[in-house]
Amino acid sequence: MDESKNVTEKNTKVTERQIQSVQRAINILNCFTMTNSALKLNLNKGTVHGILSTLYQNGYISQNGNGQYMLGAALFNKACLAAGTRQSMCIDRGHDRLLALSNQFQLNGTMFAMDEKQLRVIDTTEPTNCPFIVQRVSPSLYDSASGKILLAYLSEKERAEYLERMPMTPFQKSFEDKQKNFDVELYRIRKNGYSEEYDALFTGVSALAVPIFNRYHNELFGSVSLTGMSPMIKKRRQEIIAALQAHARYLQDCLRF
């Protein structure tokens, strides 16, 4: 038998193997949700108590005054690292693909992450042989493609608070006009899965952006966009949108966050 093949088969078995005691601990942690923390497992009390005791001693489980088990501070500390880890993974897995899109369409690529209800640039790309460079600025939420994505997925209360601070346009006579016009656009973003802005930040420069969600599609991670000269964006609009959406799905599928 070929020795290299034998090694590969062994490595595959090791990868697929599960440690039962670790899986049981994970199952117990997974019982704690926002609506229910009852333990519903096919395990005897002694096994459950032993695992809970180990998790408690390591800070992953705690108890309140009534003796009820809760998630511990150690899990919170690990969760605080998750945002940075996800951003690093997005850059590592997505940079070359975003660069390929930049070269394909001769547009600048930007990936934003949502941070405290704001957008933060975490990666940028420029075409290899681009005759122009679009100067990036911090996006204004109400007139940039990625900013409008963030607004589209805020809660109604958060969105209303932002609209209160948003300046009026010459065509809007009241807050109700501003809210109505903006709500229509944000509804379209949620329905179609992309956002666009034309000549809003710079004359002759436009952008298309799509949201990036977590694997369960219930949390907005950020957005990815392509920016460039308006005629180029308009000419290949549908093709660019499809490519950006495929890139966002790739990040969601391969990162599993």
Side-chain angles (χ1 to χ4, degrees), residues 163-206:
L163 287 174
E164 286 280 6
R165 305 190 301 270
M166 193 177 86
M168 293 271 196
T169 70
F171 305 101
Q172 296 166 346
K173 304 300 182 182
S174 66
F175 175 76
E176 288 72 21
D177 290 337
K178 178 169 63 174
Q179 187 173 37
K180 181 179 179 180
N181 293 341
F182 214 63
D183 282 350
V184 169
E185 184 170 7
L186 298 184
Y187 170 79
R188 180 192 60 75
I189 291 171
R190 292 191 295 271
K191 179 181 177 181
N192 298 332
Y194 66 87
S195 175
E196 51 195 332
E197 57 94 354
Y198 297 98
D199 307 310
L201 299 179
F202 299 99
T203 301
V205 175
S206 300

Side-chain angles (χ1 to χ4, degrees), residues 138-174:
S138 298
S140 170
L141 295 192
Y142 59 86
D143 57 12
S144 70
S146 288
K148 286 186 285 189
I149 284 177
L150 188 153
L151 284 174
Y153 292 98
L154 289 178
S155 68
E156 289 188 12
K157 179 181 178 181
E158 291 169 327
R159 192 158 53 246
E161 290 174 351
Y162 185 85
L163 287 174
E164 286 280 6
R165 305 190 301 270
M166 193 177 86
M168 293 271 196
T169 70
F171 305 101
Q172 296 166 346
K173 304 300 182 182
S174 66

Side-chain angles (χ1 to χ4, degrees), residues 4-18:
S4 62
K5 180 179 179 182
N6 191 30
V7 171
T8 301
E9 289 177 350
K10 287 182 179 179
N11 288 339
T12 301
K13 290 180 181 178
V14 170
T15 302
E16 294 177 350
R17 183 180 172 219
Q18 287 186 326

Side-chain angles (χ1 to χ4, degrees), residues 114-138:
M114 189 171 73
D115 187 10
E116 297 295 328
K117 302 296 184 293
Q118 296 293 327
L119 288 174
R120 186 165 66 86
V121 176
I122 61 173
D123 194 23
T124 62
T125 58
E126 294 172 356
T128 305
N129 298 310
C130 186
F132 61 88
I133 295 177
V134 177
Q135 190 71 31
R136 295 178 183 85
V137 295
S138 298

Side-chain angles (χ1 to χ4, degrees), residues 43-242:
L43 298 173
N44 63 58
K45 291 184 178 180
T47 300
V48 173
H49 183 269
I51 295 174
L52 285 172
S53 178
T54 302
L55 292 171
Y56 178 83
Q57 292 174 29
N58 287 277
Y60 289 91
I61 290 292
S62 62
Q63 285 181 291
N64 63 17
N66 297 322
Q68 294 176 318
Y69 286 104
M70 304 179 297
L71 296 179
L75 279 175
F76 173 78
N77 294 335
K78 299 298 182 187
C80 291
L81 302 175
T85 300
R86 293 192 300 178
Q87 291 176 18
S88 297
M89 292 176 69
C90 273
I91 297 169
D92 181 62
R93 300 290 183 89
H95 179 81
D96 288 346
R97 292 174 64 95
L98 185 58
L99 179 59
L101 292 182
S102 286
N103 284 322
Q104 177 183 351
F105 297 107
Q106 288 294 288
L107 301 170
N108 288 11
T110 308
M111 181 158 52
F112 296 94
M114 189 171 73
D115 187 10
E116 297 295 328
K117 302 296 184 293
Q118 296 293 327
L119 288 174
R120 186 165 66 86
V121 176
I122 61 173
D123 194 23
T124 62
T125 58
E126 294 172 356
T128 305
N129 298 310
C130 186
F132 61 88
I133 295 177
V134 177
Q135 190 71 31
R136 295 178 183 85
V137 295
S138 298
S140 170
L141 295 192
Y142 59 86
D143 57 12
S144 70
S146 288
K148 286 186 285 189
I149 284 177
L150 188 153
L151 284 174
Y153 292 98
L154 289 178
S155 68
E156 289 188 12
K157 179 181 178 181
E158 291 169 327
R159 192 158 53 246
E161 290 174 351
Y162 185 85
L163 287 174
E164 286 280 6
R165 305 190 301 270
M166 193 177 86
M168 293 271 196
T169 70
F171 305 101
Q172 296 166 346
K173 304 300 182 182
S174 66
F175 175 76
E176 288 72 21
D177 290 337
K178 178 169 63 174
Q179 187 173 37
K180 181 179 179 180
N181 293 341
F182 214 63
D183 282 350
V184 169
E185 184 170 7
L186 298 184
Y187 170 79
R188 180 192 60 75
I189 291 171
R190 292 191 295 271
K191 179 181 177 181
N192 298 332
Y194 66 87
S195 175
E196 51 195 332
E197 57 94 354
Y198 297 98
D199 307 310
L201 299 179
F202 299 99
T203 301
V205 175
S206 300
L208 295 168
V210 302
I212 305 172
F213 294 96
N214 66 353
R215 63 181 295 191
Y216 306 107
H217 214 268
N218 60 6
E219 177 190 352
L220 180 68
F221 169 79
S223 68
V224 60
S225 68
L226 286 173
T227 305
M229 304 305 291
S230 297
M232 197 177 303
I233 293 281
K234 294 175 181 178
K235 182 179 179 180
R236 305 183 69 180
R237 176 176 171 275
Q238 291 299 329
E239 189 181 356
I240 294 169
I241 292 170

